[in-house]
Amino acid sequence: MGSDRRRVPEYRPRILDENVPDDARVLEQLRAAPDIECVDLIELLLAEYDRLAGARMPAGGPETRRWIHYPWRRALVGVLGPAEYRAVRLDRNRNKLTAEEQDRLGESTIGVVGQSAGHAVAYQLALEGVAGALRLADLDEIELSNLNRVAGTVFDIGVNKAVVTARRIAELDPYLPVEIVETGVAADNADEFLRGLSVVVEECDSLDMKLVVREAAARQRVPLLMETSDRGLLDVERFDLEPGRPPFHGLLGGLRAADLRGLAAKDKAPFVVRLFGADELSPRLAASMVEVGETLSSWPQLGSEVMYGAASVVAAARRIGLGQKLASGRIRIDMDRLLDELAEPVPVGDAVWDDPPEPPTADDPVARVLEAANRAPSGGNVQPWRLRVDGDRIGVDLAVEHSSAMDIGYRGSAVAVGAALYNARAAAAAEGLLKSVEIHESDGVVPLSATLVLGAGGDAATAADYPDLLARETNRGLGDGKPLPPELLPALLAAAALEGAGLHVLTDPADLAAAADLLAEADRIRYLTPGLHADMQSEIRWPASDPDVGIDARSLAMTATEQAGLEIGRRAEVMAQVRSWDGGAALGAYTGDRVRSASALVAVTIAAGPGLTPYARAGGAVQRVWIEAQRRGAAVQPISPPYLYARSSGELAAISPDYADTLASLQSRFLNLLGVPGHEIMALVLRLSHAAAATVRSRRRPVPGVDTRS
């Protein structure tokens, strides 16, 4: 039986299409043959095809299918057509390899010379889809002693090694083209073997042939890879980029293949030692070389070392195929040495928060006004103001150094200054010291400045907000979606009107769902835009951060799954990779889920006007609406899409150059959904819901740090 296999070295399956008359006749004969096993996998594979998530489906769909005849197996197997088969088989490569990268790799042809260690290389190249075609060469047959490192079976003994590799690959992927050269590679056919290859992998035993292959690779300008399994030695020789480079990195000087012809094995030993380094061989291999020809028939190899060595070759071939950086050189990926470096991992425990106590309420009325101003909300809790006291005047100056990419023209900072001014007004009114308020704009270093003039006077409605502004907080917990009390929205409209502002409200679940989708997509863009991502991450306060700036991470009210996503989402290089795929739909899930769970979405708007003053006035309205909503039992969360303060396409491009058009579309659709007319500007969007009480409030910078002058 072994001699039959040697005479008929079948290694390619026959691909049959029952819609082709000639193939249909062959199929009929095979199905009728008593010694042919028929295995129909089509329904199983179709079900798997239908489960693929987000895959780029081949044109034509899964209706194409084929029957594969494996003569050496005496089997007929029904599978999907080539494009669908490839899509399903390589689906789990995503996104380690994108579909586009896989297509690019599918254009390469890789040759593997030597099918002992080369068997593992060729199979892993096919397994990962790193090659679109393979060319294999070996003149030897499988022996039982090869099966310590070749993934063959007793049925392969006596069969040419290249045939065994090709058969195994055919049973993995019947559509992958594989050529074999059963006579191996020699000086007279090396150029022919290498012609047209994208990469050649050299895994010969003979030093002569190693040089022959390298000389041909230099002539054909084909990059060459070799893995020597002892201590994970990987060689990369970029003859495609450096056709004049000497073989083996010049370690053998000017030695040529012709110089080795006729030399006995013992006379080649000095060259082998120079090539691999007497000091670099593992002690066991070095000691074994002394025993070759005595107690050992050949130099030893371990199957595990061959396998992980093959993985390093595939990684290098993948880089070459994708045009990624890979220079000529040598590296050892020594598993034993790495295992010597085993260390206990440091457990990731729960974050330890060192919360300093809240400072006591000031005894001085002016200090209490300053404390109230300092409790105002701001984007990212950056507190973009400087507070000052000048006699009977309290100033709230816009501090441009706390601005961010989303704070276009300092409009968001102006809203925060307006909210701080309102808080100061409420505290002064409660103290009976509210006389007047002024807002000034300037072209200088302080573009907006609000001044509260202290003196005898008050405002009962404003003073009533003072206790509640001290308790005001952001609640990011998921809501239950229940409707708000009917009296709440009219009360919020009245509160906004006191500051000359208005509200646009969504309460219908379908509208909230539509808004959730728009805001989630905007958040995705925020993650994928480097500047916005950096700002967002800098705003989140972790235990080791400044306790008085930023959003306390605990206040995000995240589930364990959301927390894990945030930890990954903090990494800029991960977001860069997601951006390269234009992926990341899940990045907006946190915002989307919270808006869907809301009872209402409220946009605080005001008539557009020149400069920053309208935004400052709207900031006071935001604060009044927020206080009123929370006083009546609603949980309040601000929502700030990246386009919130953009008023032109140029400003959107400044925020996110790659996503400006998408942001413009999202902004337009969101404004239309809310019914915001063109003559109004948005100050902030508030999510109102029924939710469990917030457990953490973000802190503020200490008031004693204000600039006080008398």
Side-chain angles (χ1 to χ4, degrees), residues 167-370:
R167 286 179 175 178
R168 188 168 176 232
I169 290 170
E171 292 174 14
L172 167 74
D173 187 343
Y175 299 111
L176 181 64
V178 178
E179 303 174 60
I180 68 169
V181 179
E182 292 182 76
T183 58
V185 172
D188 60 355
N189 71 344
D191 282 286
E192 180 183 354
F193 182 86
L194 270 76
R195 192 169 290 116
L197 292 183
S198 309
V199 178
V200 64
V201 181
E202 182 276 295
E203 296 292 342
C204 304
D205 290 335
S206 165
L207 182 59
D208 308 43
M209 286 303 102
K210 288 179 179 295
L211 283 166
V212 164
V213 174
R214 279 164 176 77
E215 290 167 10
R219 289 191 297 270
Q220 299 292 330
R221 303 192 69 156
V222 176
L224 184 143
L225 305 173
M226 179 187 74
E227 207 284 332
T228 307
S229 55
D230 183 62
R231 294 187 60 198
L233 179 63
L234 174 68
D235 280 287
V236 178
E237 296 172 80
R238 295 300 302 264
F239 295 114
D240 55 328
L241 305 178
E242 310 162 80
R245 73 178 283 113
F248 289 119
H249 321 291
L251 293 172
L252 299 182
L255 188 72
R256 309 293 294 175
D259 300 329
L260 296 174
R261 293 192 187 111
L263 290 182
K266 65 178 182 178
D267 296 325
K268 297 176 185 177
F271 300 114
V272 174
V273 172
R274 282 172 59 188
L275 179 59
F276 298 112
D279 295 335
E280 294 297 325
L281 298 173
S282 69
R284 286 179 180 263
L285 180 62
S288 297
M289 291 181 73
V290 177
E291 296 298 311
V292 172
E294 301 293 335
T295 62
L296 294 175
S297 57
S298 184
W299 56 287
Q301 287 179 292
L302 295 177
S304 60
E305 293 179 340
V306 168
M307 294 299 177
Y308 71 70
S312 69
V313 173
V314 172
R318 187 194 316 125
R319 283 199 170 205
I320 293 172
L322 295 176
Q324 297 172 348
K325 181 181 178 181
L326 187 72
S328 295
R330 168 176 280 190
I331 190 171
R332 289 189 182 274
I333 306 169
D334 187 346
M335 195 62 69
D336 280 327
R337 182 171 291 173
L338 292 172
L339 291 174
D340 287 339
E341 297 173 6
L342 275 175
E344 287 284 352
V346 178
V348 179
D350 293 334
V352 177
W353 294 81
D354 182 15
D355 293 319
E358 289 278 356
T361 302
D363 295 330
D364 175 67
V366 173
R368 287 196 290 271
V369 172
L370 294 172

Side-chain angles (χ1 to χ4, degrees), residues 5-75:
R5 290 199 295 276
R6 287 194 290 272
R7 284 198 303 270
V8 187
E10 295 166 320
Y11 67 93
R12 291 301 301 148
R14 185 170 182 181
I15 300 170
L16 301 166
D17 183 347
E18 57 193 345
N19 296 312
V20 176
D22 288 346
D23 287 359
R25 284 190 291 272
V26 173
L27 278 170
E28 185 177 357
Q29 295 169 2
L30 290 170
R31 287 167 175 154
D35 62 340
I36 297 295
E37 179 185 11
C38 292
V39 180
D40 188 351
L41 300 177
I42 291 174
E43 292 305 317
L44 284 174
L45 300 186
L46 279 174
E48 193 173 353
Y49 179 93
D50 290 338
R51 291 197 302 270
L52 297 188
R56 186 186 63 184
M57 290 294 96
E63 66 274 11
T64 58
R65 57 198 70 191
R66 301 289 186 272
W67 287 88
I68 314 299
H69 177 217
Y70 294 99
W72 60 92
R73 286 284 189 184
R74 292 186 171 85

Side-chain angles (χ1 to χ4, degrees), residues 589-678:
Y590 175 86
T591 295
D593 289 346
R594 276 148 184 78
V595 174
R596 287 185 190 89
S597 76
S599 301
L601 207 61
V602 174
V604 181
T605 65
I606 201 165
L612 296 175
T613 300
Y615 288 94
R617 290 174 51 217
V622 166
Q623 192 68 333
R624 292 195 96 136
V625 169
W626 194 325
I627 291 167
E628 186 67 30
Q630 187 170 313
R631 182 161 51 213
R632 292 175 178 268
V636 183
Q637 177 193 354
I639 304 285
S640 302
Y643 51 74
L644 182 61
Y645 300 116
R647 298 179 66 176
S648 70
S649 58
E651 291 178 344
L652 289 170
I655 295 172
S656 180
D658 293 338
Y659 293 98
D661 291 343
T662 304
L663 286 176
S665 174
L666 292 172
Q667 183 185 51
S668 175
R669 291 156 63 193
F670 187 62
L671 292 173
N672 287 338
L673 182 64
L674 283 163
V676 178

Side-chain angles (χ1 to χ4, degrees), residues 48-58 87 90-92 94-95 97-100 581-583 585:
E48 193 173 353
Y49 179 93
D50 290 338
R51 291 197 302 270
L52 297 188
R56 186 186 63 184
M57 290 294 96
L90 299 179
D91 179 64
R92 292 296 295 275
R94 298 185 300 136
N95 279 332
L97 288 171
T98 65
E100 291 76 12
W581 303 330
D582 195 23

Side-chain angles (χ1 to χ4, degrees), residues 462-484:
T462 303
D465 281 347
Y466 176 58
D468 295 306
L469 72 84
L470 296 176
R472 184 208 58 80
E473 63 186 7
T474 295
N475 189 321
R476 298 180 179 87
L478 288 166
D480 60 15
K482 293 179 180 178
L484 297 171

Side-chain angles (χ1 to χ4, degrees), residues 353-356 381 383 402 538-553 698-702:
W353 294 81
D354 182 15
D355 293 319
N381 190 29
Q383 305 159 55
H402 298 306
S538 69
E539 291 171 356
I540 299 175
R541 183 175 82 79
W542 300 96
S545 308
D546 183 340
D548 300 318
V549 181
I551 299 169
D552 192 304
S698 295
R699 296 170 60 88
R700 297 294 188 274
R701 295 187 187 93

